[in-house]
Amino acid sequence: MPEQRVQRAIHKKSSSSGGGALFKTTTWILIVICASCSSFYIGAFAGIAASGGQNNNNTAADHKLNANNNNNNNQIDDKELQRRAEELADQKLKILTSPHKLHELCNKHMCSNNPADAAAASHQNHGSKEVHKLFPRPLNHFANGLVRVSKDDIMSTFDFGVPPNPHSAGKDALILYNTAKALPNDRYLAAAANLNGYPSLPFTNATTATENCDSLNVVFTDIPGGMRQCFALIGGQYQSYHVQRWMRRADNRLGLNKEEPLKLSSRGHTGGGREEFPAPRGREVAEHQEVLKSYLNEVKGIKSRLMSVLKKMNSKQVVVMTCNHGQSELLMNFVCSSRAKGFDLSNVLLFPTDVETKELAEGLGLTTFYEEKLMASVPKTEAEIYGDIFFTKIMFAKIVCVQLVNELGYDLLFMDVDIVWYRNPIDYFMNKSLPQFDIYFQDDGSRQERYAPYSANSGFYFVRANPRTQHLFRHLLYSGDLLNAWNSHQQVLIALLAEYNSLMGLKVKVFAKETELFPGGWLYHRQKNEMKRIMKGESNLYIFHMSWTENKRNKLNFFQQIGQWYVQETCIGKHYNDIVGGDSTVSLSTHCCLAEPVVICHYRDKPSKIPCNDSPYLDKKRGKPFW
């Protein structure tokens, strides 16, 4: 019990200092104070936990859940609640039973009636503060205190937008104070922050810790690849909002070498020797310049024609998609599945990259915007694998369609075609209870260094039209040479998100991969229990994004297996005229869309609507049956 620990601590203090009968009165005063503090903090955190457990199934509750990251992260479990209460109780005990506090009470009230003795004791006590400071005078130009706060607490108090690590129970964050004026108002907490006679760094809540901070510079860090990582904080310099990185490495890309000196390195350098962020070369620059030249020559007329289409759609929020003929089956499945579930697709605008896809989309009743000159560089066939040359060229279409609609002042939801809806996601983003960010992303799930710090999925995101996002997407369009060099639209976009977040205050939100609202390939392949909830109809998801998939064939197989495939087999890979037999009056939906999904087993080790235990393994080495 906290009261027992108080009694033992104070008994030790009183025995060594000899305060007489009057000092026993101090003991009982401190017992009451400490017990009250402990009870207060335990009760307060119990109340927080109780209120945090309330939940509704409406859209506003969805927003509250994501504004505080996710179910697993946001609600304080019993162990974390107990830890934080004990931390604060112990801290109060240490402060109230510290030499400084006991001397102060003793000198002020009872231990001596001689003012000279009291002054001398006070002088001795204050003199000891200088001796035991955590930060000596040579560091005081930028370091004057350090406190601990719960990692969960600070990330829920301030929504930094980055996807949180769910495994953070019992972990703390550090707050460094550059000036003594920034320290908390509580003078004992402020003194403990510099270890003025206190045995350990103090622990407090994020609100108290930052109450006097005029600004808060936030650094997110991990230990990439188990690297022996250090931080150098250099005060008294011109303020920088970027981090220099130095590594012990050779120049021949052989990875870390402890015999080498520390060298300035890209944040894309990996411990294994790869360089994830190489500068574009001549061919990659030349290809981008040709595409950009075509865009700049035609952009005025393109914007005028696009604005006419957008005005006819008469919607303030637009769902933007793009597709080539090689991916048209996935587009058809999105339309057919949405219609079967009763969704209105009148605000969906497709940017087809070829005539064949334009005809299919319009046959399905979608609004399209096709510019042949603009899309001339995009191939008609699908990518064989992620990151190949066809994949890279298709990425230009994903950039330009968003940039154009955003530039014309429309809020938009961009979606890849390998997505199905369970609820209309526009309803989520239009709800006024949603915390206001400039751009919201699905969490990709990958934690490769090249995607840090956001791991944003570039296949599902919502953008508010404003000068910050418009400049972001112009810069992304002009960075096509990086797209050619890195073979990843996602990698380029995330690098710009990090820069614009720092440079212009772009507010970026990435929903945690653990949230049930916007699941994708990470959950499909790695979260068996959550996928079973989806298969049983117990999840509250809005969409499912079949990302993390090697090629189109696997996407089709996975959709068929989870009961989300709504396209007739006779329509797959076909042109519009081949399907309707030359009769342009016939609706493509009549020929191709199923009212109920087809469920087909392909792999026993992948999520499925029904048991598929008679099917082969996809992962022949490590696969385990899903059911």
Side-chain angles (χ1 to χ4, degrees):
M1 292 293 293
E3 292 89 343
Q4 294 172 336
R5 292 201 298 271
V6 174
Q7 288 178 323
R8 290 196 297 270
I10 296 179
H11 175 72
K12 182 177 179 181
K13 297 288 183 183
S14 61
S15 298
S16 61
S17 60
L22 284 175
F23 194 76
K24 293 179 181 179
T25 305
T26 308
T27 302
W28 288 108
I29 292 172
L30 291 176
I31 288 173
V32 172
I33 293 172
C34 294
S36 300
C37 291
S38 301
S39 301
F40 170 77
Y41 283 110
I42 292 171
F45 280 113
I48 292 171
S51 64
Q54 297 173 357
N55 191 17
N56 298 314
N57 291 324
N58 57 22
T59 304
D62 295 336
H63 298 153
K64 184 175 180 181
L65 178 149
N66 278 285
N68 294 308
N69 299 326
N70 55 64
N71 277 327
N72 295 330
N73 261 11
N74 186 43
Q75 295 182 4
I76 304 170
D77 61 25
D78 292 340
K79 290 182 179 178
E80 177 66 3
L81 173 65
Q82 181 179 351
R83 182 187 79 85
R84 291 169 64 178
E86 288 182 353
E87 284 269 14
L88 288 167
D90 286 343
Q91 182 174 309
K92 286 295 180 184
L93 294 180
K94 290 174 182 177
I95 289 175
L96 290 169
T97 61
S98 68
H100 306 307
K101 185 63 177 175
L102 290 174
H103 271 296
E104 180 182 320
L105 288 171
C106 184
N107 292 334
K108 185 174 180 180
H109 297 290
M110 55 199 68
C111 293
S112 174
N113 292 321
N114 187 334
D117 292 343
S122 178
H123 176 76
Q124 180 182 2
N125 180 45
H126 286 294
S128 67
K129 293 183 181 180
E130 297 298 327
V131 175
H132 300 292
K133 276 191 174 181
L134 175 63
F135 297 110
R137 193 178 302 277
L139 290 176
N140 289 162
H141 62 292
F142 77 98
N144 286 272
L146 200 63
V147 301
R148 296 180 298 130
V149 297
S150 163
K151 180 173 179 284
D152 283 342
D153 180 25
I154 193 168
M155 293 195 72
S156 60
T157 302
F158 306 102
D159 193 341
F160 301 117
V162 299
N165 184 343
H167 309 296
S168 59
K171 294 182 179 179
D172 293 341
L174 288 172
I175 295 181
L176 173 70
Y177 298 95
N178 284 168
T179 172
K181 294 180 179 179
L183 289 165
N185 291 327
D186 186 310
R187 63 193 182 102
Y188 298 109
L189 179 61
N194 211 354
L195 293 187
N196 280 345
Y198 297 91
S200 62
L201 290 177
F203 178 92
T204 188
N205 61 72
T207 302
T208 298
T210 58
E211 62 186 346
N212 290 324
C213 297
D214 292 331
S215 66
L216 180 67
N217 296 329
V218 182
V219 177
F220 303 102
T221 186
D222 202 352
I223 307 176
M227 196 176 296
R228 298 179 299 181
Q229 187 170 246
C230 307
F231 286 85
L233 300 179
I234 304 173
Q237 286 298 120
Y238 205 172
Q239 181 86 341
S240 173
Y241 295 96
H242 290 75
V243 176
Q244 282 197 19
R245 189 176 189 223
W246 293 63
M247 292 176 62
R248 296 189 186 277
R249 61 177 181 83
D251 294 327
N252 55 5
R253 298 189 180 184
L254 294 179
L256 288 173
N257 186 340
K258 64 181 181 180
E259 304 300 326
E260 293 285 336
L262 288 167
K263 299 176 181 177
L264 183 64
S265 304
S266 158
R267 72 175 188 244
H269 273 112
T270 68
R274 292 194 312 277
E275 167 54 293
E276 302 282 15
F277 297 118
R281 299 186 178 184
R283 178 183 59 81
E284 295 153 347
V285 174
E287 288 180 359
H288 165 59
Q289 288 173 343
E290 287 301 312
V291 173
L292 190 58
K293 186 190 303 182
S294 175
Y295 168 88
L296 293 173
N297 287 339
E298 303 291 333
V299 67
K300 186 175 180 179
I302 290 172
K303 285 183 179 179
S304 176
R305 292 188 289 275
L306 177 58
M307 181 58 84
S308 297
V309 173
L310 290 168
K311 286 181 177 179
K312 289 179 182 178
M313 292 178 68
N314 194 29
S315 177
K316 293 181 179 180
Q317 300 83 34
V318 182
V319 179
V320 175
M321 306 177 75
T322 186
C323 186
N324 70 351
H325 190 253
Q327 298 284 339
S328 59
E329 300 94 332
L330 294 168
L331 173 66
M332 295 173 71
N333 187 59
F334 165 72
V335 175
C336 292
S337 65
S338 297
R339 293 261 167 78
K341 298 170 186 177
F343 293 118
D344 178 14
L345 300 182
S346 61
N347 65 338
V348 175
L349 176 61
L350 179 78
F351 285 72
T353 64
D354 48 62
V355 174
E356 292 83 355
T357 306
K358 177 179 182 294
E359 292 174 346
L360 287 171
E362 291 176 351
L364 290 166
L366 291 183
T367 301
T368 68
F369 184 78
Y370 176 58
E371 288 287 331
E372 183 176 5
K373 290 182 179 179
L374 191 61
M375 298 296 183
S377 65
V378 181
K380 294 183 179 182
T381 57
E382 76 272 16
E384 291 294 327
I385 58 173
Y386 175 89
D388 68 12
I389 189 171
F390 295 108
F391 177 90
T392 302
K393 289 183 178 297
I394 292 169
M395 292 303 102
F396 170 75
K398 293 179 65 170
I399 294 173
V400 74
C401 66
V402 172
Q403 188 273 325
L404 286 168
V405 176
N406 172 254
E407 185 87 0
L408 292 175
Y410 284 81
D411 295 346
L412 66 94
L413 172 65
F414 176 79
M415 290 185 10
D416 280 346
V417 293
D418 57 344
I419 286 175
V420 291
W421 287 1
Y422 288 76
R423 293 188 284 167
N424 190 332
I426 289 291
D427 295 340
Y428 177 87
F429 293 108
M430 288 299 100
N431 192 290
K432 292 182 180 179
S433 66
L434 179 69
Q436 294 299 296
F437 285 81
D438 295 316
I439 186 166
Y440 307 78
F441 285 90
Q442 179 187 41
D443 187 346
D444 181 82
S446 173
R447 293 300 182 259
Q448 298 177 60
E449 284 297 294
R450 64 193 181 117
Y451 294 150
Y454 290 112
S455 191
N457 188 298
S458 57
F460 182 84
Y461 58 94
F462 183 85
V463 187
R464 299 192 191 280
N466 60 47
R468 291 183 297 277
T469 58
Q470 288 166 344
H471 192 65
L472 168 72
F473 284 102
R474 279 196 299 271
H475 194 162
L476 180 60
L477 176 68
Y478 300 156
S479 300
D481 51 352
L482 291 177
L483 171 63
N484 295 337
W486 299 351
N487 299 317
S488 173
H489 158 236
Q490 180 181 8
Q491 187 174 328
V492 180
L493 177 56
I494 292 173
L496 293 179
L497 289 176
E499 177 61 21
Y500 277 69
N501 173 256
S502 172
L503 184 64
M504 295 184 176
L506 180 77
K507 298 175 68 175
V508 182
K509 174 67 177 178
V510 178
F511 300 112
K513 60 186 178 182
E514 293 80 16
T515 180
E516 66 176 353
L517 302 182
F518 305 107
W522 175 83
L523 186 135
Y524 180 86
H525 293 289
R526 296 191 178 180
Q527 300 297 306
K528 182 176 180 178
N529 290 337
E530 186 59 32
M531 283 304 304
K532 284 187 175 181
R533 290 186 65 238
I534 294 175
M535 295 301 95
K536 294 175 182 178
E538 299 172 353
S539 182
N540 203 29
L541 72 170
Y542 275 89
I543 61 104
F544 195 92
H545 184 187
M546 198 59 76
S547 55
W548 277 40
T549 308
E550 187 175 8
N551 52 44
K552 182 182 71 173
R553 184 67 257 171
N554 273 354
K555 292 179 188 289
L556 268 64
N557 290 345
F558 295 160
F559 273 134
Q560 290 174 348
Q561 191 152 302
I562 66 172
Q564 289 296 321
W565 189 254
Y566 287 79
V567 181
Q568 293 276 14
E569 185 69 24
T570 54
C571 294
I572 295 177
K574 300 292 182 63
H575 291 187
Y576 175 77
N577 285 331
D578 294 335
I579 297 171
V580 301
D583 186 354
S584 59
T585 63
V586 176
S587 168
L588 203 59
S589 298
T590 304
H591 281 271
C592 297
C593 292
L594 298 168
E596 296 293 331
V598 58
V599 181
I600 303 174
C601 285
H602 294 282
Y603 309 108
R604 71 170 71 183
D605 55 332
K606 291 300 173 184
S608 56
K609 191 74 173 176
I610 59 175
C612 293
N613 294 333
D614 292 333
S615 301
Y617 288 106
L618 179 62
D619 187 346
K620 294 180 172 56
K621 293 183 179 180
R622 296 177 296 177
K624 296 180 180 179
F626 179 74
W627 291 104

